[in-house]
Amino acid sequence: MRKMELIAPCHFGMEAVLKNEIIDLGYDITEVADGRVTFLGDEEALCRGNIFLRTAERILIKVGRFHAEDFEELFQGTKGLPWEEYIPSNGKFWVTKAASVKSKLFSPSDIQRIMKKAMVSRLQDKYHIQWFAEDGESFPVRVFLLKDEVTVGLDTTGESLHKRGYRKLTAKAPIAENLAAALIMLTPWNKDRILVDPFCGSGTIPIEAAMMAAGIAPGMNRDFTAQNWKHIVPARVWYDALDEAAEMVDLSVDTDLQGYDLDDKMVAIARENAKLAGVDKMIHFQQRDVSKLSHPKKYGFLITNPPYGERLEEKEDLPDLYRTIGERFRALDSWSLCMITSYEQAEKWIGRKADKNRKIYNGMMKTYYYQFMGPKPPRRSTGEEKAERM
């Protein structure tokens, strides 16, 4: 098996969650940086990372790292990397994304162009050909520049890992599946406890919770770019990882998961998405206004992505909305409230200071994950201990 470093990008602010996921899979962490975690692995780790990691954006093979302050150094550094170990003579290759932070080189299009030239030059020398048909499999490259240090990765995933394959229909402002999973994993929630999302939209948070409860690996029903790289990852390694995922599924698990939304069309969309995910029988979706929120049981969780009021006319309604959320939360004996929002006066109108407040970048938007924790239930669970480590 080939030993390699694998890079797993994630949402900014979710590095600790992803790190714990990777450790739980059995791999050693080599670096934690803003928005990504690097770990040691082999072909099996590449496959298992893509299939099992709930909070990662993608899995990259780290091709190399070097220092570059100008385009000549970028060219020579890129040319010095062992591209022939990965890309065959007919491979289609390009730099699909370049990100630069606090570096002298900052133009993505110029970085992409120079690196492509350097890759061509290296492969021309190695394969002794002047022209590449690029009619074979795809080998997309991603590059990060931070303080003039260039990290280069080969993208094994393709479409982002947040695209599990079940969400065919979405809400107006949907939360990404991997972010929803991370929000849940930052709490002590486990499959034995109640979870309600009073602003469920297309159902992402309850669906992700149901998949966790049933042991459904997030990537077991989708394809990955590296599945076509037979010279790097043999097909049997993918089959073994998928067999492992299939053996973990238990749809008979007893859960209490609920999703409410004021819009009946969104409730219908959420039900359809849950059906596509194979967890429709585990979740109760219902049209209900947040002002009607109630539940007879204790020690439950409200985990939600309420309206942010990004449009001016919506912002005027936010104080009343968040005041109502606070009132209904206080009426739920011993519950916890966890919500992600960009609304900076959320605590004021909820009527309580959050016990935890984590800054998270949802795309380019700065949001806050407020956690108002209720008392612990009588028996302590593994999920609670894990959440406290974060």
Side-chain angles (χ1 to χ4, degrees):
M1 298 289 260
R2 181 194 302 224
K3 294 297 180 183
M4 59 186 92
E5 276 194 286
L6 300 170
I7 304 170
C10 64
H11 285 271
F12 285 94
M14 291 303 184
E15 297 85 2
V17 189
L18 177 56
K19 175 185 174 182
N20 282 343
E21 272 202 282
I22 294 168
I23 291 171
D24 287 345
L25 277 183
Y27 302 113
D28 294 329
I29 306 296
T30 59
E31 182 183 19
V32 178
D34 287 347
R36 65 183 187 271
V37 179
T38 304
F39 62 103
L40 294 174
D42 52 18
E43 295 93 332
E44 182 184 78
L46 185 157
C47 298
R48 295 180 75 230
N50 273 300
I51 292 169
F52 287 103
L53 291 177
R54 298 185 187 277
T55 62
E57 288 281 346
R58 58 189 67 250
I59 302 296
L60 310 175
I61 298 173
K62 182 178 175 182
V63 181
R65 177 183 288 179
F66 56 88
H67 186 86
E69 297 184 23
D70 57 39
F71 286 122
E72 178 61 22
E73 289 182 339
L74 180 66
F75 182 93
Q76 294 300 334
T78 304
K79 186 175 179 179
L81 299 178
W83 295 108
E84 67 281 359
E85 293 182 11
Y86 306 100
I87 303 173
S89 59
N90 69 336
K92 180 182 179 181
F93 56 97
W94 72 103
V95 180
T96 184
K97 185 173 182 181
S100 178
V101 178
K102 298 179 181 177
S103 295
K104 295 179 179 65
L105 299 175
F106 56 84
S107 167
S109 59
D110 289 333
I111 292 168
Q112 291 167 304
R113 177 175 53 82
I114 295 296
M115 290 186 68
K116 170 73 175 189
K117 285 184 177 181
M119 293 167 69
V120 168
S121 180
R122 168 86 181 203
L123 293 175
Q124 283 175 334
D125 293 344
K126 295 298 178 179
Y127 291 126
H128 307 292
I129 55 177
Q130 291 303 306
W131 184 79
F132 294 91
E134 296 198 49
D135 55 0
E137 301 301 340
S138 295
F139 295 86
V141 173
R142 289 177 174 253
V143 57
F144 314 95
L145 284 80
L146 175 62
K147 297 179 181 178
D148 302 320
E149 289 298 314
V150 184
T151 302
V152 185
L154 197 60
D155 183 7
T156 74
T157 302
E159 275 199 310
S160 172
L161 289 176
H162 82 264
K163 296 191 176 181
R164 322 293 206 208
Y166 67 75
R167 198 166 73 178
K168 305 300 183 185
L169 302 165
T170 63
K172 180 174 60 177
I175 188 169
E177 293 91 327
N178 58 346
L179 179 54
L183 297 181
I184 298 167
M185 294 167 74
L186 278 168
T187 77
W189 177 84
N190 63 69
K191 62 186 178 182
D192 298 321
R193 298 181 67 175
I194 310 153
L195 187 152
V196 175
D197 181 356
F199 300 94
C200 73
S202 51
T204 307
I205 290 175
I207 291 171
E208 288 294 318
M211 291 175 68
M212 290 181 198
I216 299 173
M220 65 182 297
N221 294 313
R222 54 158 289 170
D223 296 324
F224 307 98
T225 298
Q227 284 177 299
N228 298 315
W229 301 352
K230 302 296 193 297
H231 62 298
I232 297 177
V233 189
R236 63 172 176 77
V237 183
W238 288 105
Y239 295 145
D240 288 346
L242 288 169
D243 286 345
E244 178 188 358
E247 290 173 2
M248 294 174 63
V249 177
D250 180 11
L251 293 174
S252 67
V253 65
D254 187 26
T255 58
D256 190 346
L257 305 172
Q258 301 176 34
Y260 307 143
D261 203 279
L262 183 61
D263 187 343
D264 59 343
K265 292 179 181 176
M266 291 314 309
V267 172
I269 287 173
R271 286 178 179 144
E272 180 61 24
N273 287 339
K275 185 176 181 180
L276 291 169
V279 294
D280 50 311
K281 292 180 173 59
M282 298 174 63
I283 310 170
H284 172 68
F285 289 108
Q286 180 182 343
Q287 181 187 10
R288 182 187 291 192
D289 188 279
V290 68
S291 64
K292 307 296 183 184
L293 179 62
S294 64
H295 201 288
K297 296 181 182 177
K298 299 179 68 173
Y299 303 112
F301 282 87
L302 297 173
I303 303 180
T304 192
N305 175 38
Y308 299 176
E310 292 308 306
R311 289 200 294 266
L312 190 60
E313 63 270 21
E314 293 175 342
K315 199 173 288 289
E316 297 174 357
D317 298 330
L318 290 185
D320 284 342
L321 176 63
Y322 281 77
R323 185 187 296 113
T324 301
I325 294 172
E327 289 170 355
R328 299 321 306 154
F329 169 50
R330 285 189 291 276
L332 289 165
D333 181 31
S334 71
W335 280 52
S336 298
L337 166 63
C338 304
M339 65 178 184
I340 184 171
T341 179
S342 65
Y343 185 46
E344 295 188 356
Q345 297 190 60
E347 289 173 302
K348 172 184 176 181
W349 297 111
I350 291 289
R352 173 180 160 184
K353 186 173 178 59
D355 298 292
K356 296 181 181 179
N357 178 6
R358 182 183 293 253
K359 183 165 65 177
I360 299 167
Y361 279 87
N362 186 0
M364 297 303 293
M365 182 186 299
K366 183 171 70 173
T367 61
Y368 302 90
Y369 189 42
Y370 296 103
Q371 294 181 268
F372 305 87
M373 304 308 296
K376 296 177 183 177
R379 290 190 62 182
R380 188 176 175 86
S381 68
T382 303
E384 288 175 303
E385 294 170 357
K386 189 177 292 185
E388 285 187 356
R389 296 204 310 265
M390 304 175 195

